[in-house]
Amino acid sequence: LASEARARVPGINLTTDIIVGFPGETDTEWRQTLDFVDSIGFGQVHTFAYSPRPGTKAASLPDQVPAEIKKARSQEMQDLARRMTAETLARYLGQRTNILMEGHRGRDPDGDKFGYTPHYLPVRLASGSAMDFTNRLIQGELEAIHPDGKHLLVTTWS
């Protein structure tokens, strides 16, 4: 399905959420999950460790995964996710695209503004502009990967 989506929608950015350490998750299944996620090449992966909720069926299932294993698996998935995000962002460098601006980071209204491309790639505009871009569509060239490794950086826009 991922290959077909990529063939039909050039530049598509596939994202996912992964629960790590669901009861009964074996080492073999964990390796299969890592291999599968790597083979898809997700642009972003949101990872969180399973935590039992009282009264749910899963909380009473056998073979609960120990916390230290969930922590190690979460770290392993996050490492993979960082690599895939970097690879995805790098593929878009040099492209000019629309960016839907959503706001600014932190308390400083003159700080980095952020938004998303049509393929849901996170973008930050370099600080310095006092203009409020919230809920505006702008054009910008995706020039670099922000030092945080999670955003594309745009320094000039229209």
Side-chain angles (χ1 to χ4, degrees):
L1 290 175
S3 295
E4 186 170 330
R6 285 188 172 106
R8 290 182 183 214
V9 183
I12 193 169
N13 178 32
L14 302 175
T15 67
T16 191
D17 292 349
I18 303 285
I19 299 173
V20 173
F22 193 80
E25 179 182 83
T26 66
D27 289 339
T28 299
E29 290 167 334
W30 172 244
R31 290 281 147 225
Q32 290 172 341
T33 298
L34 281 175
D35 291 344
F36 175 75
V37 168
D38 193 26
S39 73
I40 297 295
F42 291 104
Q44 286 100 18
V45 177
H46 177 240
T47 305
F48 53 99
Y50 166 79
S51 58
R53 299 287 185 253
T56 63
K57 176 83 173 161
S60 63
L61 289 173
D63 302 320
Q64 295 285 326
V65 177
E68 64 274 4
I69 292 176
K70 287 190 278 190
K71 184 177 179 179
R73 288 178 181 174
S74 288
Q75 185 61 55
E76 197 171 5
M77 184 61 75
Q78 290 168 14
D79 291 345
L80 174 59
R82 270 191 292 282
R83 178 180 59 80
M84 289 188 303
T85 295
E87 290 169 356
T88 298
L89 296 178
R91 284 196 297 272
Y92 290 86
L93 291 176
Q95 293 184 21
R96 186 161 183 79
T97 188
N98 289 324
I99 304 163
L100 176 60
M101 300 307 299
E102 292 196 350
H104 64 273
R105 295 275 184 226
R107 296 175 189 231
D108 178 7
D110 295 334
D112 285 358
K113 280 45 170 184
F114 71 94
Y116 294 91
T117 70
H119 294 295
Y120 197 63
L121 296 168
V123 175
R124 289 173 85 164
L125 298 186
S127 344
S129 173
M131 232 177 128
D132 182 8
F133 291 101
T134 304
N135 296 322
R136 288 194 48 209
L137 192 62
I138 65 168
Q139 280 269 321
E141 183 175 333
L142 306 173
E143 300 169 44
I145 297 174
H146 191 275
D148 70 6
K150 298 176 184 177
H151 298 82
L152 289 158
L153 184 63
V154 173
T155 58
T156 56
W157 54 87
S158 56

